[in-house]
Amino acid sequence: AIDPEFERNREAVDENDGVTVWGPVDEPEQLGIHGTHVAVDFDICLGDGACLEDCPVDVFEWVETPGHPESERKAEPANEVQCIDCMLCVDVCPVDAIDVDAG
Ligand code: SF4
Ligand code: F3S
């Protein structure tokens, strides 16, 4: 499962259109955690898609990740600022790849 303490245990190494990437990153096999308020561990995500289907405010967008051992697409929390902390995505992800910091 995603480490809920990732902000303490990892370093921000990149930013994709405003979404912070927490390393380590070693493409294409290791992609890190994407997002901060809504965080997706890309190295755990297996492209299930339940988060995209269920999020009421469309926080997630598919991104292609060819060559990643778990899956070739991931759920990018591109609109994490829209999150209303309903926690649905956390509940439906089959591999616990998502952390929402509802504070
Ligand atoms: Fe969407 Fe709710 Fe997850 Fe926020 S907590 S990203 S609103 S499903
Ligand atoms: Fe990935 Fe879990 Fe969403 S596997 S696509 S983060 S439901």
Side-chain angles (χ1 to χ4, degrees), residues 6-90:
F6 69 90
E7 287 176 80
R8 216 170 309 172
N9 296 333
R10 294 178 177 233
E11 274 179 53
V13 294
D14 200 1
E15 207 174 284
N16 286 350
D17 293 327
V19 177
T20 299
V21 179
W22 302 82
V25 170
D26 184 13
E27 291 176 5
E29 296 92 357
Q30 197 174 24
L31 300 173
I33 290 177
H34 289 225
T36 303
H37 180 76
V38 180
V40 179
D41 191 326
F42 271 29
D43 296 313
I44 297 175
C45 173
L46 38 68
D48 177 82
C51 57
L52 272 97
E53 283 169 31
D54 288 358
C55 176
V57 291
D58 295 334
V59 161
F60 303 98
E61 288 176 5
W62 287 125
V63 293
E64 304 297 315
T65 57
H68 190 272
E70 290 299 331
S71 62
E72 304 218 314
R73 64 178 188 174
K74 308 289 180 185
E76 183 86 277
N79 307 310
E80 63 178 333
V81 292
Q82 305 288 337
C83 176
I84 57 170
D85 299 343
C86 72
M87 303 311 253
L88 260 179
C89 57
V90 173

